[in-house]
């Protein structure tokens, strides 16, 4: 039995859960809202912690259900908005749930990402900051940097791919050296 | 080909098919950007169903996306220069508050609004207090010369003055997610305020308590230690890494969220970012103001309404509505008189360990 309060355990998995929620919603605000709604469920569950055997797996299921519920509500509220296809949502959820339940937060990967971020040029870092710190839309960023929304989207996509490649290379180097 | 792809326990993909990996990465990137066609979504779903490589890559991107989001929320991308610029922008906002014209132009230089940043700097607070005093004088002169005038900006400024008064007020805060399908009953919290600097807030279930005595911001969970800082702005990243229940600070900090902790913050937000109009009130003892968000910024309420006492300007209730249906409301329920010490953490968390987080110079 883990003595760490459920809400603290939940917060430790924030990045992983937010990644999944963004993959499902592609909406920072909605992802954050679902994350907080799930936090309420976790806090309520703190009153009967004995019922949770594997917190991570349990929390993932809570997150998944909250996400699907929120997406249904969003779909009902805005029929004109094209949501991700149900088939893809299902398989994204399966991918999220299937991950090794015993694995903890990977500090090495997080450290590698920070190093890669530090290597970005000021302009690229600014784009990342606007997107991830201010949750700005492509339109808002384009107004801020004097570009077009499409160009901003392409630039961010390239930066993300670059960061992912950099992160992988760093992890491989670490692995080879260890 | 799919089964030839393998990955180690860190999610590093080892594959003999770089073309396939590139195709999958493009699909994943397209998914996160939200610009896949239905056919491409179908292709990605197939890859994720059958390919270990695709699954590992997707998980890896998903984790990276989550980490970027978390780093952003922790203020990781903000350098010291950005903080200085934000200070300047905030002071500019404060300067604009003197102008009687309602809803001064919001700065384009920053996207987020941080209620704590407003009072965290004592220098800024002193400047703002002086400006507020000048504004009060101007309003007083205006009131004497033209007592019959009631406008939305007039009501807003009187409400701001009343919110800055060092009077204890107790509000009931109700947060509703707008989720009618679940029979959302809303979450209720009690909020005690004195002026713009002292507050104590606690949800009805008592799971945590958060407050400020005007100098320190403090927070504790039901059975946890007390966490204190005197400079939230400088400490934000540090707090977020070290404090166990950091999401609670998010609740206090984020304009997305839930409750605008202090009435003065809510009114300042209206002033800087909203167009306001006076609504004919059904009760002559109240002035009713409606505020409509000027820009389409999703993380702010699109509509805020408040009702202020026609005599003294005190906000009696306020309702904020987001476009996704989320609602907050605050309602004045009492004006208790409490001691100066009541806003200090020791009055609420006696005999608990205290963790003070110090600002970096």
């Amino acid at each position: 039995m883990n003595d760490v309060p459920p809400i603290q355990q939940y917060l430790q998995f924030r990045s992983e859960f937010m990644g999944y929620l963004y993959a499902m919603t592609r909406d920072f605000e909605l992802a954050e809202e679902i994350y907080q709604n799930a936090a309420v469920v976790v806090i309520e569950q703190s009153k009967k912690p004995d019922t949770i055997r594997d917190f991570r797996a349990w929390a993932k299921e809570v997150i998944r259900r909250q996400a699907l519920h929120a997406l249904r509500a969003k779909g009902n509220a805005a029929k004109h908005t094209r949501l991700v296809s149900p088939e893809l949502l299902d398989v994204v959820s399966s991918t999220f749930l299937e991950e090794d339940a015993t694995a903890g937060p990977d500090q090495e990967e997080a450290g590698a990402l920070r190093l890669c971020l530090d290597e970005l040029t000021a302009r690229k870092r600014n784009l990342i900051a606007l997107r991830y710190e201010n949750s700005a839309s492509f339109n808002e960023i384009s107004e801020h940097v004097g570009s077009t929304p499409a160009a901003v989207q392409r630039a961010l996509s390239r930066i993300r791919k670059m960061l992912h490649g950099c992160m992988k290379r760093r992890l491989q180097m670490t692995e080879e050296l260890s | 080909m799919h089964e030839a792809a393998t990955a180690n326990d860190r999610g590093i993909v080892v594959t003999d098919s770089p073309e396939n990996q590139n195709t999958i990465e493009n699909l994943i990137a397209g998914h996160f950007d939200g610009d896949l066609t239905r056919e491409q979504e179908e292709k990605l779903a197939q890859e994720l169903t059958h390919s270990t490589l695709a699954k590992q890559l997707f998980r890896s991107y998903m984790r990276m996306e989550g980490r970027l989001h978390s780093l952003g929320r922790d203020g990781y991308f903000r350098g010291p220069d950005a903080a200085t610029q934000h200070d300047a922008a905030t002071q500019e906002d404060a300067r604009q508050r003197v102008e009687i014209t309602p809803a001064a132009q919001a700065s384009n230089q920053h996207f987020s609004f941080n209620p704590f940043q407003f009072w965290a700097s004592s220098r800024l607070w002193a400047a703002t207090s002086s400006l507020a005093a000048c504004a009060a004088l101007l309003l007083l002169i205006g009131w004497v010369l033209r007592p019959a005038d009631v406008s939305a900006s007039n009501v807003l400024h009187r409400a701001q003055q009343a919110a800055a008064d060092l009077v204890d007020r107790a509000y009931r805060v109700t947060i509703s997610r707008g989720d009618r399908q679940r029979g959302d009953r809303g979450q209720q919290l009690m909020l005690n305020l004195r002026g713009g600097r002292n507050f104590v807030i606690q949800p009805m279930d008592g799971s945590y308590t958060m407050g400020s005595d005007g100098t320190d911001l403090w927070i504790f969970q039901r059975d946890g230690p007390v966490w204190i800082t005197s400079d939230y702005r400088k400490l934000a990243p540090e707090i977020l890494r070290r404090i166990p229940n950091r999401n609670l600070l998010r609740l206090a900090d984020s304009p997305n969220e839930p409750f605008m902790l202090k009435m003065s913050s809510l009114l300042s937000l209206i002033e800087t970012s909203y167009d306001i109009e006076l609504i004919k009130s059904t009760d002559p003892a109240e002035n009713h103001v409606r505020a409509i968000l000027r820009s389409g910024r999703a993380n702010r309420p699109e509509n805020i309404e408040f009702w202020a006492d026609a005599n003294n300007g005190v906000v009696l209730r306020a309702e904020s509505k987001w476009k996704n249906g989320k609602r907050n409301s605050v309602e004045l329920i009492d004006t208790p008189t409490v001691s100066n010490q009541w806003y200090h953490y020791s009055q609420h968390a006696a005999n608990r360990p205290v963790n003070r987080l110090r600002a970096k110079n």
Side-chain angles (χ1 to χ4, degrees), chain B residues 60-274:
Chain B
S60 187
Y61 267 95
M62 211 157 57
R63 287 196 300 272
M64 187 178 81
E65 200 67 23
R67 286 200 176 98
L68 286 170
H69 186 82
S70 294
L71 288 170
R73 295 298 304 257
D74 290 358
Y76 181 80
F77 305 115
R78 228 178 313 165
D81 292 347
T84 308
Q85 284 169 13
H86 191 280
D87 264 357
T90 309
Q91 292 191 43
E92 176 63 13
D93 282 351
R95 189 187 63 72
Q96 290 177 350
R97 282 190 187 94
V98 196
E99 296 168 9
I100 301 299
T101 309
Q105 289 298 310
S107 166
N108 289 328
Q109 298 308 307
H110 58 279
F111 284 83
S112 61
F113 175 82
N114 182 339
F116 285 115
Q117 288 178 8
F118 184 72
W119 57 264
S121 157
S122 56
R123 187 161 50 100
L124 179 59
W125 173 253
T128 309
S129 300
S130 305
L131 295 174
C134 292
L137 190 60
L138 287 172
L139 281 171
L140 185 63
I141 292 167
W143 184 256
V144 169
L145 294 177
R146 292 185 293 169
D149 279 358
V150 177
S151 66
S153 64
N154 192 321
V155 173
L156 175 61
H157 281 85
R158 289 190 70 210
Q160 287 181 294
Q161 288 304 307
D165 286 346
L166 295 182
V167 174
D168 299 301
R169 297 189 180 104
Y171 287 93
R172 181 190 295 116
V173 180
T174 306
I175 302 162
S176 164
R177 300 285 176 190
D179 197 346
R180 295 187 186 86
Q181 288 180 335
R182 282 181 71 195
D184 182 8
R185 59 198 179 283
Q187 185 190 7
Q188 289 201 338
L189 306 98
M190 283 303 300
L191 172 63
N192 281 75
L193 292 175
R194 176 187 288 180
R197 290 161 61 97
N198 298 55
F199 70 89
V200 174
I201 190 162
Q202 188 179 50
M204 293 302 189
D205 66 3
S207 56
Y208 65 89
T209 307
M210 179 163 44
S212 170
D213 60 4
T215 304
D216 289 329
L217 169 68
W218 49 265
I219 183 171
F220 61 88
Q221 290 176 267
R222 187 182 282 123
D223 302 315
V226 183
W227 294 81
I228 303 177
T229 177
S230 59
D231 192 337
Y232 179 82
R233 183 173 57 81
K234 283 186 184 170
L235 272 175
E238 193 154 338
I239 290 173
L240 294 170
R241 276 184 222 112
R242 291 172 56 183
I243 203 165
N245 198 357
R246 65 187 194 178
N247 203 39
L248 299 182
L249 282 172
R250 285 290 176 216
L251 301 187
D253 178 40
S254 171
N256 286 340
E257 211 21 72
F259 37 92
M260 287 291 174
L261 263 190
K262 299 189 298 296
M263 188 56 69
S264 54
S265 302
L266 182 66
L267 296 171
S268 294
L269 180 65
I270 290 173
E271 184 181 38
T272 54
S273 304
Y274 288 73

Side-chain angles (χ1 to χ4, degrees), chain B residues 323-344:
Chain B
K323 69 179 176 189
N324 63 4
K326 192 167 68 181
R327 290 168 180 247
N328 300 346
S329 69
V330 294
E331 182 182 5
L332 181 67
I333 55 174
D334 196 8
T335 50
T337 302
V338 297
S339 70
N340 289 339
Q341 278 300 302
W342 195 77
Y343 294 94
H344 193 261

